[in-house]
Coordinates of all heavy atoms in Angstrom, one line a residue:
M205 N 53.1 23.3 88.5 CA 51.9 22.7 88.0 C 52.2 21.3 87.4 O 53.2 21.2 86.7 CB 51.3 23.6 86.9 CG 50.0 23.1 86.3 SD 49.2 24.1 85.0 CE 48.9 25.6 85.9
K206 N 51.4 20.4 87.7 CA 51.6 19.0 87.1 C 51.4 19.1 85.6 O 50.7 19.8 85.1 CB 50.5 18.0 87.7 CG 50.7 17.7 89.1 CD 49.7 16.7 89.6 CE 49.9 16.4 91.0 NZ 49.0 15.3 91.5
S207 N 52.2 18.2 84.9 CA 52.2 18.3 83.5 C 50.8 17.9 82.9 O 50.4 18.4 81.9 CB 53.3 17.4 82.9 OG 53.0 16.0 83.2
E208 N 50.1 17.0 83.6 CA 48.8 16.6 83.0 C 47.8 17.8 83.2 O 47.0 18.0 82.3 CB 48.2 15.4 83.8 CG 48.0 15.6 85.3 CD 47.7 14.4 86.0 OE1 48.4 13.4 85.8 OE2 46.9 14.4 86.9
N209 N 47.9 18.6 84.3 CA 47.1 19.8 84.4 C 47.5 20.8 83.3 O 46.6 21.5 82.7 CB 47.2 20.4 85.8 CG 46.6 19.5 86.8 OD1 45.8 18.6 86.5 ND2 46.9 19.8 88.1
R210 N 48.8 21.0 83.1 CA 49.3 21.9 82.1 C 48.8 21.5 80.8 O 48.3 22.4 80.0 CB 50.8 22.1 82.2 CG 51.3 23.0 81.3 CD 51.0 24.4 81.8 NE 51.2 25.3 80.7 CZ 50.9 26.6 80.8 NH1 50.4 27.1 81.9 NH2 51.1 27.4 79.8
D211 N 48.9 20.3 80.4 CA 48.4 19.8 79.1 C 46.9 20.0 78.9 O 46.5 20.4 77.9 CB 48.7 18.3 79.0 CG 50.2 18.0 78.9 OD1 51.0 18.9 78.6 OD2 50.5 16.8 79.1
A212 N 46.1 19.8 80.0 CA 44.7 20.0 79.9 C 44.4 21.5 79.7 O 43.5 21.8 78.9 CB 44.0 19.5 81.2
L213 N 45.1 22.4 80.4 CA 44.9 23.8 80.2 C 45.3 24.2 78.8 O 44.6 25.1 78.2 CB 45.6 24.6 81.2 CG 45.0 24.7 82.6 CD1 45.9 25.4 83.6 CD2 43.7 25.4 82.5
D214 N 46.4 23.7 78.3 CA 46.8 24.0 76.9 C 45.7 23.6 75.9 O 45.4 24.3 75.0 CB 48.1 23.3 76.6 CG 49.3 24.0 77.3 OD1 49.2 25.1 77.8 OD2 50.4 23.3 77.4
R215 N 45.2 22.4 76.1 CA 44.1 21.9 75.2 C 42.9 22.8 75.3 O 42.3 23.1 74.3 CB 43.7 20.4 75.5 CG 44.7 19.4 75.1 CD 44.2 18.0 75.2 NE 43.5 17.7 76.5 CZ 44.2 17.2 77.5 NH1 45.5 17.0 77.5 NH2 43.6 17.0 78.6
L216 N 42.5 23.2 76.5 CA 41.4 24.1 76.7 C 41.6 25.4 76.0 O 40.8 25.9 75.3 CB 41.1 24.3 78.2 CG 40.0 25.3 78.6 CD1 38.7 24.8 78.0 CD2 40.0 25.5 80.1
F217 N 42.8 26.0 76.2 CA 43.1 27.2 75.5 C 43.1 27.1 74.0 O 42.5 28.0 73.4 CB 44.5 27.7 76.0 CG 45.0 29.0 75.4 CD1 44.4 30.2 75.8 CD2 45.9 29.0 74.3 CE1 44.8 31.4 75.2 CE2 46.3 30.2 73.7 CZ 45.7 31.4 74.2
R218 N 43.7 26.1 73.4 CA 43.6 25.9 72.0 C 42.2 25.8 71.5 O 41.8 26.3 70.5 CB 44.4 24.7 71.6 CG 45.9 24.9 71.6 CD 46.7 23.8 70.9 NE 46.4 22.5 71.4 CZ 47.1 21.9 72.5 NH1 48.0 22.6 73.1 NH2 46.8 20.7 72.9
R219 N 41.4 25.0 72.2 CA 39.9 24.8 71.8 C 39.2 26.2 71.9 O 38.4 26.5 71.1 CB 39.3 23.8 72.7 CG 37.9 23.5 72.2 CD 37.3 22.3 72.7 NE 35.9 22.2 72.3 CZ 35.0 21.4 72.8 NH1 35.4 20.5 73.7 NH2 33.8 21.4 72.4
L220 N 39.4 26.9 73.0 CA 38.6 28.1 73.2 C 39.0 29.1 72.1 O 38.2 29.8 71.6 CB 38.9 28.7 74.6 CG 38.2 28.0 75.7 CD1 38.7 28.5 77.0 CD2 36.7 28.1 75.7
T221 N 40.3 29.3 71.8 CA 40.7 30.2 70.8 C 40.3 29.8 69.4 O 39.9 30.6 68.6 CB 42.2 30.4 70.8 OG1 42.9 29.2 70.7 CG2 42.7 31.1 72.1
A222 N 40.2 28.5 69.2 CA 39.8 28.0 67.9 C 38.2 28.2 67.7 O 37.8 28.6 66.6 CB 40.1 26.5 67.7
D223 N 37.5 27.9 68.8 CA 36.1 28.0 68.7 C 35.5 29.5 68.8 O 34.5 29.8 68.2 CB 35.4 27.2 69.8 CG 35.5 25.7 69.6 OD1 36.0 25.2 68.6 OD2 35.1 25.0 70.5
F224 N 36.2 30.3 69.6 CA 35.7 31.6 69.8 C 36.6 32.8 69.4 O 36.3 33.9 69.6 CB 35.3 31.8 71.3 CG 34.4 30.7 71.8 CD1 34.8 29.7 72.6 CD2 33.1 30.8 71.5 CE1 33.9 28.7 73.1 CE2 32.2 29.8 71.9 CZ 32.6 28.8 72.7
G225 N 37.7 32.5 68.8 CA 38.7 33.5 68.4 C 39.7 33.7 69.5 O 39.5 33.4 70.7
I226 N 40.9 34.3 69.1 CA 41.9 34.4 70.1 C 41.6 35.3 71.2 O 41.9 35.0 72.4 CB 43.2 34.9 69.3 CG1 43.7 33.8 68.4 CG2 44.3 35.3 70.3 CD1 44.9 34.2 67.5
A227 N 41.1 36.5 70.9 CA 40.7 37.4 72.0 C 39.7 36.9 73.0 O 40.0 37.0 74.2 CB 40.2 38.8 71.4
S228 N 38.7 36.2 72.5 CA 37.7 35.7 73.4 C 38.3 34.5 74.2 O 38.0 34.4 75.4 CB 36.4 35.3 72.6 OG 35.8 36.4 72.0
G229 N 39.0 33.7 73.5 CA 39.6 32.5 74.2 C 40.6 33.0 75.3 O 40.5 32.4 76.4
Q230 N 41.3 34.0 75.0 CA 42.3 34.5 76.0 C 41.5 35.1 77.2 O 41.9 35.0 78.3 CB 43.2 35.6 75.4 CG 44.3 34.9 74.5 CD 45.1 36.0 73.8 OE1 44.7 37.2 73.7 NE2 46.2 35.6 73.4
A231 N 40.4 35.8 76.9 CA 39.6 36.5 77.9 C 39.0 35.4 78.8 O 39.0 35.6 80.1 CB 38.5 37.3 77.3
V232 N 38.5 34.3 78.2 CA 37.9 33.2 79.0 C 38.9 32.6 79.9 O 38.7 32.4 81.2 CB 37.2 32.2 78.2 CG1 36.8 30.9 78.9 CG2 36.0 32.8 77.5
I233 N 40.1 32.3 79.4 CA 41.2 31.7 80.2 C 41.6 32.6 81.3 O 41.8 32.2 82.4 CB 42.4 31.3 79.3 CG1 42.0 30.1 78.4 CG2 43.6 31.0 80.1 CD1 41.8 28.8 79.2
K234 N 41.7 33.9 81.0 CA 42.2 34.8 82.0 C 41.1 34.9 83.1 O 41.5 34.9 84.3 CB 42.3 36.2 81.4 CG 42.7 37.3 82.3 CD 42.9 38.7 81.6 CE 43.2 39.7 82.7 NZ 42.8 41.0 82.4
T235 N 39.8 34.9 82.8 CA 38.8 34.9 83.8 C 38.9 33.6 84.6 O 38.7 33.7 85.9 CB 37.4 35.1 83.2 OG1 37.4 36.3 82.4 CG2 36.3 35.1 84.1
I236 N 39.0 32.5 84.1 CA 39.1 31.3 84.8 C 40.3 31.3 85.8 O 40.1 31.0 86.9 CB 39.3 30.0 83.8 CG1 37.9 29.8 83.1 CG2 39.6 28.8 84.6 CD1 38.0 28.8 82.0
I237 N 41.4 31.8 85.3 CA 42.6 31.8 86.1 C 42.4 32.8 87.3 O 42.7 32.6 88.4 CB 43.9 32.2 85.4 CG1 44.1 31.0 84.4 CG2 45.0 32.5 86.2 CD1 45.2 31.2 83.4
E238 N 41.8 34.0 87.0 CA 41.5 35.0 88.0 C 40.6 34.5 89.1 O 40.8 34.8 90.3 CB 41.0 36.3 87.4 CG 41.9 37.1 86.6 CD 41.3 38.3 85.9 OE1 40.1 38.3 85.8 OE2 42.1 39.0 85.3
E239 N 39.6 33.7 88.7 CA 38.6 33.2 89.7 C 39.0 32.0 90.4 O 38.7 31.8 91.5 CB 37.3 33.0 88.9 CG 36.6 34.3 88.4 CD 36.2 35.2 89.5 OE1 35.8 34.8 90.6 OE2 36.3 36.5 89.3
L240 N 39.7 31.1 89.6 CA 40.0 29.8 90.2 C 41.5 29.5 90.4 O 41.8 28.4 90.9 CB 39.4 28.7 89.3 CG 37.9 28.8 89.1 CD1 37.5 27.7 88.1 CD2 37.2 28.7 90.4
G241 N 42.4 30.4 90.0 CA 43.8 30.2 90.1 C 44.2 29.8 91.5 O 43.8 30.5 92.5
G242 N 45.0 28.7 91.7 CA 45.5 28.3 93.0 C 44.5 27.3 93.7 O 44.9 26.8 94.7
L243 N 43.3 27.2 93.2 CA 42.3 26.3 93.8 C 42.5 24.9 93.1 O 42.8 24.7 92.0 CB 40.9 26.8 93.6 CG 40.6 28.1 94.3 CD1 39.1 28.5 93.9 CD2 40.7 28.0 95.8
R244 N 42.1 23.9 93.9 CA 42.0 22.5 93.4 C 40.5 22.4 93.0 O 39.7 22.5 93.8 CB 42.4 21.5 94.4 CG 42.3 20.0 93.8 CD 42.8 19.1 94.8 NE 44.2 19.4 95.0 CZ 45.1 18.4 95.4 NH1 44.7 17.3 95.8 NH2 46.3 18.7 95.5
V245 N 40.3 22.2 91.7 CA 38.9 22.2 91.2 C 38.7 20.9 90.5 O 39.5 20.4 89.8 CB 38.7 23.3 90.2 CG1 37.3 23.3 89.6 CG2 39.0 24.7 90.8
T246 N 37.5 20.3 90.8 CA 37.0 19.1 90.2 C 35.8 19.5 89.3 O 34.9 20.1 89.8 CB 36.6 18.0 91.2 OG1 37.7 17.7 92.0 CG2 36.2 16.8 90.5
I247 N 35.9 19.2 88.0 CA 34.9 19.6 87.1 C 34.1 18.3 86.8 O 34.6 17.3 86.4 CB 35.5 20.2 85.8 CG1 36.2 21.4 86.2 CG2 34.3 20.5 84.8 CD1 36.9 22.1 85.1
P248 N 32.7 18.3 87.0 CA 31.9 17.1 86.8 C 31.9 16.8 85.3 O 32.0 17.7 84.4 CB 30.6 17.5 87.3 CG 30.5 19.0 87.2 CD 31.9 19.5 87.5
D249 N 31.7 15.6 85.0 CA 31.6 15.2 83.6 C 30.0 15.4 83.2 O 29.2 15.7 84.0 CB 32.0 13.8 83.3 CG 31.3 12.7 84.0 OD1 30.1 13.0 84.5 OD2 31.7 11.6 84.1
L250 N 29.8 15.3 81.9 CA 28.4 15.6 81.4 C 27.4 14.6 82.0 O 26.3 15.0 82.3 CB 28.4 15.5 79.9 CG 29.1 16.7 79.2 CD1 29.1 16.4 77.7 CD2 28.4 18.0 79.5
H251 N 27.8 13.4 82.3 CA 26.9 12.4 82.9 C 26.4 12.9 84.2 O 25.2 12.8 84.5 CB 27.6 11.0 83.0 CG 26.7 10.0 83.5 ND1 25.7 9.4 82.9 CD2 26.7 9.4 84.8 CE1 25.1 8.5 83.7 NE2 25.7 8.5 84.8
D252 N 27.4 13.4 85.0 CA 27.0 13.9 86.3 C 26.0 15.1 86.3 O 25.0 15.2 87.0 CB 28.2 14.4 87.1 CG 29.1 13.2 87.5 OD1 28.6 12.0 87.7 OD2 30.3 13.4 87.7
L253 N 26.3 16.0 85.3 CA 25.4 17.1 85.1 C 24.0 16.7 84.7 O 23.0 17.3 85.2 CB 26.0 18.1 84.1 CG 27.2 18.8 84.5 CD1 27.8 19.7 83.4 CD2 27.0 19.7 85.8
F254 N 24.0 15.7 83.7 CA 22.7 15.3 83.3 C 21.9 14.6 84.4 O 20.7 14.7 84.5 CB 22.8 14.4 82.1 CG 23.3 15.0 80.8 CD1 24.1 14.4 80.0 CD2 22.8 16.3 80.5 CE1 24.5 15.0 78.8 CE2 23.2 16.9 79.3 CZ 24.1 16.3 78.5
R255 N 22.6 13.8 85.2 CA 21.9 13.1 86.3 C 21.4 14.1 87.4 O 20.3 14.0 87.8 CB 22.9 12.2 87.0 CG 22.2 11.4 88.1 CD 23.2 10.4 88.8 NE 24.4 11.0 89.3 CZ 25.6 10.7 88.9 NH1 25.8 9.7 88.0 NH2 26.7 11.3 89.4
E256 N 22.1 15.2 87.6 CA 21.7 16.2 88.6 C 20.4 16.9 88.0 O 19.5 17.1 88.7 CB 22.7 17.2 88.8 CG 23.9 16.7 89.7 CD 25.1 17.6 89.7 OE1 24.9 18.9 89.4 OE2 26.2 17.2 90.2
E257 N 20.4 17.2 86.7 CA 19.2 17.9 86.1 C 18.0 16.9 86.1 O 16.9 17.3 86.4 CB 19.6 18.3 84.7 CG 18.3 18.9 84.0 CD 17.7 20.1 84.7 OE1 18.4 20.8 85.4 OE2 16.5 20.2 84.6
R258 N 18.2 15.6 85.8 CA 17.2 14.6 85.9 C 16.6 14.6 87.3 O 15.4 14.6 87.5 CB 17.7 13.3 85.4 CG 16.7 12.2 85.5 CD 17.3 10.8 85.7 NE 17.9 10.7 87.0 CZ 18.8 9.8 87.4 NH1 19.2 8.9 86.5 NH2 19.4 9.8 88.6
N259 N 17.5 14.5 88.3 CA 17.0 14.5 89.7 C 16.2 15.7 90.1 O 15.2 15.5 90.7 CB 18.2 14.2 90.6 CG 18.8 12.8 90.5 OD1 18.3 12.0 89.7 ND2 19.9 12.7 91.1
R260 N 16.6 16.8 89.6 CA 15.8 18.1 89.9 C 14.4 17.9 89.3 O 13.4 18.3 89.9 CB 16.5 19.3 89.3 CG 17.6 19.8 90.3 CD 18.1 21.2 89.8 NE 18.9 21.2 88.6 CZ 20.2 20.9 88.5 NH1 20.8 20.7 89.7 NH2 20.8 20.9 87.4
R261 N 14.3 17.4 88.0 CA 13.0 17.2 87.4 C 12.2 16.2 88.1 O 11.0 16.4 88.3 CB 13.2 16.8 85.9 CG 13.7 17.9 85.0 CD 13.5 17.5 83.5 NE 14.0 16.2 83.2 CZ 15.3 15.9 82.7 NH1 16.1 16.9 82.7 NH2 15.6 14.7 82.5
I262 N 12.8 15.1 88.6 CA 12.1 14.1 89.3 C 11.5 14.7 90.6 O 10.3 14.6 91.0 CB 12.9 12.9 89.7 CG1 13.2 12.1 88.4 CG2 12.3 12.1 90.8 CD1 14.3 11.1 88.5
I263 N 12.3 15.5 91.3 CA 11.9 16.1 92.6 C 10.7 17.1 92.3 O 9.8 17.1 93.1 CB 13.1 16.8 93.3 CG1 14.0 15.7 93.8 CG2 12.6 17.8 94.4 CD1 15.4 16.2 94.1
T264 N 10.8 17.9 91.3 CA 9.7 18.8 91.0 C 8.4 18.1 90.6 O 7.3 18.7 90.8 CB 10.1 19.9 90.0 OG1 10.4 19.3 88.7 CG2 11.3 20.7 90.5
Q265 N 8.6 17.0 89.9 CA 7.4 16.3 89.5 C 6.8 15.3 90.5 O 5.7 14.8 90.3 CB 7.7 15.5 88.2 CG 8.1 16.4 87.0 CD 8.7 15.6 85.9 OE1 8.8 14.4 85.9 NE2 9.0 16.3 84.8
F266 N 7.5 15.1 91.6 CA 7.0 14.2 92.6 C 5.8 14.8 93.4 O 5.9 16.0 93.8 CB 8.2 13.9 93.6 CG 7.8 13.0 94.7 CD1 7.4 11.6 94.4 CD2 7.8 13.3 96.0 CE1 7.1 10.7 95.4 CE2 7.5 12.4 97.0 CZ 7.1 11.2 96.7
N267 N 4.8 14.0 93.5 CA 3.5 14.5 94.2 C 3.3 13.8 95.5 O 2.2 14.0 96.1 CB 2.3 14.5 93.2 CG 1.9 13.0 92.9 OD1 2.4 12.1 93.6 ND2 1.1 12.9 91.9
G268 N 4.2 12.9 95.9 CA 4.0 12.2 97.2 C 3.6 10.8 97.0 O 3.6 10.0 97.9
A269 N 3.0 10.5 95.8 CA 2.5 9.1 95.6 C 2.8 8.6 94.2 O 2.3 7.5 93.9 CB 1.0 9.1 95.8
N270 N 3.7 9.2 93.4 CA 3.9 8.8 92.0 C 5.3 8.2 91.8 O 5.9 8.4 90.8 CB 3.6 9.9 91.1 CG 4.5 11.2 91.3 OD1 5.0 11.3 92.3 ND2 4.6 12.0 90.3
H271 N 5.7 7.4 92.8 CA 7.1 6.8 92.7 C 7.1 5.9 91.4 O 8.1 6.0 90.6 CB 7.4 6.0 93.9 CG 7.5 6.8 95.2 ND1 6.4 7.0 96.0 CD2 8.6 7.3 95.7 CE1 6.8 7.7 97.0 NE2 8.1 7.9 96.9
A272 N 6.2 5.1 91.2 CA 6.1 4.1 90.1 C 6.1 4.8 88.8 O 6.8 4.4 87.8 CB 5.0 3.1 90.3
E273 N 5.3 5.8 88.7 CA 5.1 6.6 87.5 C 6.4 7.2 87.1 O 6.9 7.2 85.9 CB 4.0 7.6 87.6 CG 3.9 8.6 86.4 CD 3.0 9.7 86.7 OE1 2.1 9.7 87.6 OE2 3.3 10.8 86.1
L274 N 7.1 7.8 88.0 CA 8.4 8.5 87.8 C 9.5 7.5 87.4 O 10.3 7.7 86.5 CB 8.8 9.4 88.9 CG 7.9 10.6 89.2 CD1 8.3 11.3 90.5 CD2 8.0 11.6 88.0
A275 N 9.4 6.3 88.1 CA 10.4 5.3 87.8 C 10.3 4.9 86.3 O 11.2 4.7 85.6 CB 10.2 4.1 88.7
E276 N 9.0 4.7 85.9 CA 8.8 4.2 84.5 C 9.2 5.3 83.5 O 9.8 5.1 82.5 CB 7.3 3.8 84.3 CG 7.1 3.3 82.9 CD 5.6 2.8 82.8 OE1 5.0 2.4 83.8 OE2 5.1 2.9 81.7
R277 N 8.8 6.6 83.8 CA 9.1 7.7 82.9 C 10.6 7.9 82.7 O 11.1 8.1 81.6 CB 8.5 9.0 83.5 CG 8.8 10.2 82.6 CD 8.2 11.4 83.2 NE 6.8 11.3 83.4 CZ 6.0 12.0 84.2 NH1 6.6 13.0 84.9 NH2 4.8 11.8 84.4
Y278 N 11.4 7.7 83.8 CA 12.8 8.0 83.7 C 13.7 6.7 83.6 O 14.9 6.8 83.6 CB 13.3 8.8 84.9 CG 12.8 10.2 84.9 CD1 11.6 10.6 85.5 CD2 13.4 11.1 84.1 CE1 11.2 11.8 85.4 CE2 12.9 12.4 84.0 CZ 11.8 12.8 84.6 OH 11.3 14.1 84.5
G279 N 13.1 5.5 83.5 CA 13.8 4.3 83.3 C 14.6 3.9 84.6 O 15.7 3.4 84.5
L280 N 14.1 4.2 85.8 CA 14.7 3.9 87.0 C 13.9 3.0 87.8 O 12.7 2.7 87.5 CB 15.0 5.2 87.8 CG 15.8 6.3 87.2 CD1 15.7 7.6 88.0 CD2 17.2 5.8 86.9
R281 N 14.5 2.4 88.9 CA 13.8 1.6 89.8 C 13.0 2.5 90.8 O 13.5 3.6 91.1 CB 14.7 0.6 90.6 CG 15.4 -0.4 89.6 CD 16.3 -1.4 90.4 NE 17.0 -0.8 91.5 CZ 18.2 -0.4 91.4 NH1 18.9 -0.4 90.2 NH2 18.9 0.1 92.5
V282 N 12.0 2.0 91.4 CA 11.2 2.8 92.4 C 12.1 3.1 93.5 O 12.0 4.2 94.1 CB 10.0 2.0 92.9 CG1 9.3 2.7 94.0 CG2 9.0 1.8 91.7
R283 N 13.0 2.2 93.9 CA 13.9 2.5 95.1 C 14.8 3.7 94.7 O 15.1 4.6 95.6 CB 14.7 1.3 95.3 CG 15.8 1.6 96.4 CD 16.6 0.4 96.7 NE 15.8 -0.3 97.8 CZ 16.0 -1.4 98.3 NH1 17.0 -2.2 97.8 NH2 15.3 -2.0 99.2
Q284 N 15.2 3.8 93.4 CA 16.1 5.0 93.0 C 15.2 6.2 93.2 O 15.8 7.3 93.6 CB 16.6 4.8 91.7 CG 17.7 3.7 91.5 CD 18.0 3.5 90.1 OE1 17.3 2.9 89.3 NE2 19.2 3.9 89.7
I285 N 14.0 6.2 92.7 CA 13.1 7.4 92.9 C 13.0 7.8 94.3 O 13.2 9.0 94.7 CB 11.8 7.2 92.2 CG1 11.9 6.9 90.7 CG2 10.8 8.3 92.5 CD1 12.4 8.1 89.9
R286 N 12.7 6.8 95.2 CA 12.7 7.1 96.6 C 13.9 7.7 97.2 O 13.9 8.7 97.9 CB 12.3 5.8 97.4 CG 10.9 5.3 97.2 CD 10.6 4.1 98.1 NE 9.4 3.5 97.8 CZ 8.1 4.0 98.1 NH1 8.1 5.1 98.8 NH2 7.1 3.4 97.7
N287 N 15.1 7.2 96.8 CA 16.3 7.7 97.3 C 16.5 9.2 96.8 O 17.0 10.0 97.6 CB 17.5 6.9 96.8 CG 17.6 5.6 97.5 OD1 17.1 5.4 98.6 ND2 18.3 4.6 96.9
I288 N 16.2 9.4 95.6 CA 16.3 10.8 95.0 C 15.4 11.8 95.8 O 15.8 12.9 96.3 CB 16.0 10.8 93.5 CG1 17.1 10.1 92.7 CG2 15.8 12.3 93.0 CD1 16.7 9.8 91.3
V289 N 14.1 11.4 96.0 CA 13.2 12.2 96.7 C 13.5 12.3 98.1 O 13.5 13.5 98.7 CB 11.8 11.7 96.4 CG1 10.8 12.5 97.3 CG2 11.4 11.8 95.0
D290 N 13.8 11.2 98.8 CA 14.2 11.3 100.2 C 15.4 12.1 100.5 O 15.5 12.8 101.4 CB 14.4 9.9 100.8 CG 13.1 9.1 100.8 OD1 12.0 9.7 100.8 OD2 13.1 7.9 101.0
G291 N 16.4 12.0 99.6 CA 17.6 12.8 99.7 C 17.3 14.3 99.7 O 17.9 15.1 100.4
D292 N 16.4 14.7 98.8 CA 16.0 16.1 98.7 C 15.3 16.5 100.0 O 15.6 17.6 100.5 CB 15.1 16.3 97.5 CG 14.8 17.8 97.3 OD1 15.6 18.6 97.2 OD2 13.5 18.1 97.4
N293 N 14.4 15.7 100.5 CA 13.7 16.0 101.7 C 14.7 16.2 102.9 O 14.4 17.0 103.8 CB 12.7 15.0 102.0 CG 11.5 15.0 101.2 OD1 11.2 16.1 100.5 ND2 10.8 13.9 101.0
K294 N 15.8 15.4 103.0 CA 16.7 15.5 104.0 C 17.5 16.8 103.9 O 18.0 17.4 104.9 CB 17.7 14.4 104.0 CG 17.2 13.0 104.4 CD 18.2 12.0 104.2 CE 17.5 10.6 104.5 NZ 18.4 9.5 104.2
N295 N 17.6 17.4 102.7 CA 18.4 18.6 102.5 C 17.5 19.9 102.7 O 18.1 21.0 102.7 CB 19.1 18.6 101.1 CG 20.1 17.5 101.1 OD1 20.8 17.2 102.0 ND2 20.2 17.0 99.8
R296 N 16.2 19.7 102.8 CA 15.4 20.9 102.9 C 15.4 21.4 104.3 O 15.5 20.6 105.3 CB 13.9 20.5 102.5 CG 13.8 20.3 101.0 CD 12.4 20.1 100.7 NE 12.3 19.8 99.2 CZ 11.2 19.6 98.6 NH1 10.0 19.7 99.3 NH2 11.2 19.3 97.4
T297 N 15.2 22.7 104.5 CA 15.1 23.2 105.8 C 13.7 23.7 105.9 O 13.2 24.4 105.0 CB 16.1 24.4 106.1 OG1 15.9 25.3 105.1 CG2 17.5 23.8 106.2
F298 N 13.0 23.4 107.0 CA 11.6 23.8 107.2 C 11.5 24.9 108.3 O 12.2 24.8 109.3 CB 10.7 22.6 107.6 CG 10.7 21.6 106.5 CD1 11.5 20.5 106.5 CD2 9.8 21.8 105.4 CE1 11.4 19.6 105.5 CE2 9.7 20.8 104.4 CZ 10.5 19.7 104.4
R299 N 10.8 25.9 108.0 CA 10.5 26.9 109.0 C 9.2 26.7 109.7 O 8.2 26.3 109.1 CB 10.4 28.3 108.3 CG 11.7 29.0 108.1 CD 11.5 30.4 107.6 NE 10.1 30.9 107.6 CZ 9.7 31.8 106.8 NH1 10.4 32.3 105.9 NH2 8.4 32.2 106.9
E300 N 9.3 26.9 110.9 CA 8.1 26.9 111.7 C 7.6 28.3 111.9 O 8.3 29.1 112.4 CB 8.3 26.2 113.1 CG 8.6 24.7 112.9 CD 8.7 24.0 114.2 OE1 8.0 24.4 115.2 OE2 9.4 23.0 114.3
D301 N 6.4 28.6 111.5 CA 5.9 30.0 111.7 C 5.1 30.1 113.0 O 4.5 29.2 113.5 CB 5.0 30.4 110.5 CG 5.8 30.5 109.3 OD1 7.0 31.0 109.4 OD2 5.3 30.2 108.2

């Protein structure tokens, strides 16, 4: 294991045991290792998570004609709203009945 990864796991373990107690911290680390051990995992930062949640809200509030309203509400450009909404439409699968 790379030393930077080992250092990060050690910091995580110390924080979990400090915040939740030794038994709970150990249980969480054990679960993480059991589920993800051996995998290469990239964990998003908080900014990425907040952006994903914001985009989900934009998509649910989009009514087909309120690009400018959503851009103003979220402090984005209309083009960004279009990209968010268009990207969601490309990922949807439609059933023909």
Side-chain angles (χ1 to χ4, degrees):
M205 178 182 298
K206 291 183 179 180
S207 66
E208 63 194 39
N209 291 342
R210 183 70 198 174
D211 292 343
L213 282 174
D214 287 341
R215 284 192 311 274
L216 176 61
F217 179 74
R218 285 193 305 274
R219 181 165 178 194
L220 289 170
T221 56
D223 289 353
F224 303 107
I226 291 175
S228 294
Q230 288 175 339
V232 170
I233 289 293
K234 181 180 177 209
T235 301
I236 291 170
I237 291 169
E238 287 173 353
E239 294 296 323
L240 303 176
L243 296 176
R244 181 175 293 203
V245 177
T246 302
I247 299 173
D249 62 18
L250 289 175
H251 179 74
D252 291 335
L253 292 176
F254 291 142
R255 183 178 55 240
E256 290 172 13
E257 176 56 31
R258 178 208 63 200
N259 290 355
R260 279 191 288 274
R261 285 194 314 269
I262 288 170
I263 289 164
T264 60
Q265 294 170 0
F266 181 63
N267 67 14
N270 59 341
H271 295 90
E273 174 191 331
L274 292 171
E276 185 175 330
R277 180 180 304 158
Y278 289 97
L280 300 173
R281 296 184 319 267
V282 171
R283 174 175 273 171
Q284 288 173 291
I285 298 295
R286 288 186 189 282
N287 288 339
I288 291 166
V289 173
D290 290 347
D292 183 59
N293 287 336
K294 289 177 188 173
N295 294 326
R296 290 186 185 182
T297 57
F298 294 98
R299 274 189 7 209
E300 292 185 32
D301 292 325

